[in-house]
Amino acid sequence: MLDQYVGISPKGDILLIKQLCQKLKGLTMLHINSTREGGGVAEILQRMIPLIEGLEVAVRWEVIEGDSRFFDVTKKIHNALQGFPEEFTDDMWQYHYEINRKNARRIDLNADMVFIHDPQPVPLVDFRPKGKNIWVWRCHIDLSNPQKDVCDRLTKYYEKYDAGIYHVSKFARGAKAFEFIVPPSIDPLSDKNRELTKEEIHETLDRFQIPHDRPIILQVSRFDRFKDPIGVIKAYRMVKRYNDCVLVLAGSPASDDPEGQEVLQEVKDYASDDPDIKILLLPPYSDKEINALQRAATVVLQKSLKEGFGLTVSEAMWKGKPVIGGAVGGIPLQIIHRVTGFLVYSIEGAAFRIRQFLNNPEMTVGMGEKGREHVRQNFLITRQIRDYLSIWYHILKGGKRVLELG
Ligand code: UDP
């Protein structure tokens, strides 16, 4: 399966993966997160697990189970870590721990290398089996301005991990000998990112009754206030005074995000009865539809106010689309301002840049091409697997060994 990436991914990444798998042969890797579908973490694991399965390293993916009370608490933790103030009681923290304790009884935690994703399953480290194993906390959240009391609570668990992995260096806590920066990635061969025919794209637009006689502005995101869907509508309304266009907001629910329904309603109310705003609530696994929408779009937005990484940015860039993104979290890693797209700081800024793209098709194409190459070099799944295996090998060897390519 890895060989399918030859000619697409950088050669060095594929070579390194093969070398590292030789070194790690027979060992086991385990990933644990809180949902199988919806959001970036599930998106990556869905693609990465089968690809690693084809290598000589054994891999498992487990998902913790919780009820609505648990996910209300963990969404609050998520919000607070991203700088939105939330109140917590001891009971809430106790419940967070209790549900993890139950999951620890259900899930086989035995593996040589364990990746715990995000704060939902973070207390599992208390149930870490004895013996030789490595536990890493893999954070996907924008930690640029976290609420201190929440950080302090989580640090008590974090101290028990061997390492932390963050998307962006400014998110790292500086609290451990082993902290690594590994941005996420997209899979160029998935249904979400593979090439589509014109017919496939048109069929999707027709099915969702999206007109194709005018430019399409698109944002693909869970309905989450940090993604600023209302700000996107405001920017579109400013643009619409001068350039006729259609706005598409596409999102789908995530089982670990209980606020989605409420935010979707706010967005629908705000869009009111504008026939040129299409709000799509897609079922999980609508990968081909998202792909088609991204390919049909004239301009793609990711106007987030906080963002761990924003896979949708790389997804659109891979399709040769110039992207306008909020200058937050991992978005500036992907958008090189004025080269592969534009970083914006306000609704007015977003509107200005949308108009710039709509009025300069040649610039749009040029930036789109550079964006695709930037993603090829830096944000394909092979690079992320290379990084995970490298970190594993590095820690296993006590940080002392250098891998020699032979
Ligand atoms: N996504 C999707 N359907 C939707 C909305 C989003 O498949 O209706 C996907 C999107 O294409 C991306 C992922 O969900 O792959 C979202 O990841 P991102 O890092 O952009 O944001 P997160 O949801 O993790 O905050």
Side-chain angles (χ1 to χ4, degrees):
M1 212 171 154
L2 186 62
D3 288 336
Q4 290 178 298
Y5 293 81
V6 172
I8 304 173
S9 298
K11 251 189 195 165
D13 291 354
I14 295 177
L15 192 61
L16 254 169
I17 292 174
K18 288 185 175 166
Q19 293 279 341
L20 284 159
C21 282
Q22 282 304 312
K23 306 275 177 193
L24 297 167
K25 212 172 175 169
L27 299 181
T28 52
M29 181 193 264
L30 169 63
H31 289 265
I32 304 180
N33 80 320
S34 59
T35 178
R36 286 235 179 247
E37 63 203 29
V41 182
E43 176 80 21
I44 295 168
L45 291 174
Q46 278 167 21
R47 299 301 303 178
M48 186 181 277
I49 301 303
L51 188 44
I52 298 178
E53 270 168 359
L55 305 170
E56 276 164 289
V57 171
V59 64
R60 271 188 301 131
W61 173 17
E62 300 283 356
V63 175
I64 58 163
E65 289 172 359
D67 55 10
S68 58
R69 183 173 165 210
F70 175 74
F71 288 117
D72 283 344
V73 172
T74 57
K75 179 70 187 188
K76 278 189 196 304
I77 296 175
H78 179 100
N79 289 344
L81 287 175
Q82 295 212 137
F84 181 84
E86 297 277 12
E87 302 244 331
F88 292 87
T89 60
D90 283 344
D91 272 3
M92 289 158 83
W93 288 112
Q94 191 51 43
Y95 200 65
H96 183 222
Y97 188 79
E98 202 42 44
I99 292 292
N100 271 279
R101 199 169 57 82
K102 281 192 183 147
N103 275 284
R105 272 197 239 125
R106 192 182 55 83
I107 298 173
D108 175 7
L109 296 175
N110 286 294
D112 298 296
M113 178 67 163
V114 180
F115 290 86
I116 300 292
H117 295 264
D118 280 343
Q120 297 92 335
V122 81
L124 284 178
V125 72
D126 270 9
F127 309 94
R128 177 178 176 164
K130 297 233 171 345
K132 247 176 125 194
N133 52 29
I134 299 167
W135 277 56
V136 177
W137 188 52
R138 198 333 170 196
C139 173
H140 298 261
I141 289 176
D142 184 335
L143 286 183
S144 51
N145 185 27
Q147 189 172 314
K148 188 172 176 309
D149 58 315
V150 177
C151 256
D152 292 347
R153 285 274 185 169
L154 295 178
T155 300
K156 294 205 171 77
Y157 298 119
Y158 185 49
E159 281 164 355
K160 298 174 187 167
Y161 283 83
D162 299 300
I165 304 180
Y166 301 87
H167 293 344
V168 182
S169 55
K170 72 174 172 192
F171 299 166
R173 316 307 306 151
K176 295 196 120 20
F178 288 127
E179 282 189 343
F180 302 92
I181 307 305
V182 178
S185 61
I186 62 161
D187 185 348
L189 302 183
S190 66
D191 268 352
K192 177 144 307 151
N193 297 309
R194 69 174 170 85
E195 293 294 329
L196 294 180
T197 62
K198 279 206 176 88
E199 291 70 36
E200 284 175 305
I201 298 170
H202 283 162
E203 185 273 321
T204 304
L205 293 183
D206 291 342
R207 190 146 41 90
F208 294 128
Q209 298 176 331
I210 299 169
H212 22 119
D213 56 340
R214 280 164 290 158
I216 297 173
I217 300 163
L218 171 73
Q219 177 158 298
V220 174
S221 278
R222 286 178 297 107
F223 289 98
D224 179 321
R225 293 187 187 97
F226 289 121
K227 311 282 185 183
D228 200 17
I230 301 285
V232 171
I233 297 178
K234 287 182 179 166
Y236 150 83
R237 286 195 174 135
M238 286 178 191
V239 171
K240 185 86 168 173
R241 279 190 245 145
Y242 307 97
N243 295 69
D244 194 9
C245 56
V246 175
L247 173 66
V248 179
L249 292 169
S252 53
S255 57
D256 61 349
D257 181 358
E259 287 175 353
Q261 204 49 42
E262 194 183 315
V263 177
L264 172 63
Q265 196 51 49
E266 277 170 29
V267 172
K268 281 186 175 164
D269 291 346
Y270 194 75
S272 183
D273 53 2
D274 184 336
D276 287 339
I277 303 181
K278 302 284 174 194
I279 299 168
L280 307 178
L281 185 65
L282 303 174
Y285 305 110
S286 301
D287 291 356
K288 195 175 146 206
E289 286 74 11
I290 298 284
N291 187 346
L293 292 173
Q294 288 168 330
R295 286 181 191 279
T298 317
V299 178
V300 175
L301 289 190
Q302 191 54 57
K303 216 203 100 23
S304 305
L305 304 170
K306 294 277 179 175
E307 188 63 79
F309 182 70
L311 283 177
T312 50
V313 174
S314 277
E315 288 165 4
M317 285 167 66
W318 182 246
K319 293 160 188 121
K321 301 294 165 179
V323 184
I324 299 169
V328 293
I331 293 179
L333 291 181
Q334 303 171 79
I335 298 181
I336 306 171
H337 187 56
R338 294 175 189 274
V339 178
T340 68
F342 291 114
L343 294 171
V344 294
Y345 300 82
S346 64
I347 291 165
E348 291 76 10
F352 176 76
R353 296 305 186 184
I354 295 170
R355 293 203 60 227
Q356 205 173 348
F357 278 135
L358 296 185
N359 296 335
N360 294 283
E362 272 175 32
M363 183 184 79
T364 307
V365 172
M367 282 192 174
E369 281 167 6
K370 293 195 186 89
R372 181 173 163 94
E373 189 51 25
H374 185 50
V375 172
R376 199 179 82 78
Q377 293 296 340
N378 298 289
F379 303 118
L380 295 187
I381 192 164
T382 34
R383 193 271 308 143
Q384 196 178 353
I385 294 176
R386 176 204 78 183
D387 289 352
Y388 279 179
L389 296 175
S390 306
I391 287 172
W392 184 1
Y393 183 69
H394 183 74
I395 300 177
L396 198 63
K397 298 294 168 192
K400 295 195 183 79
R401 288 287 291 274
V402 174
L403 180 72
E404 282 173 23
L405 288 178

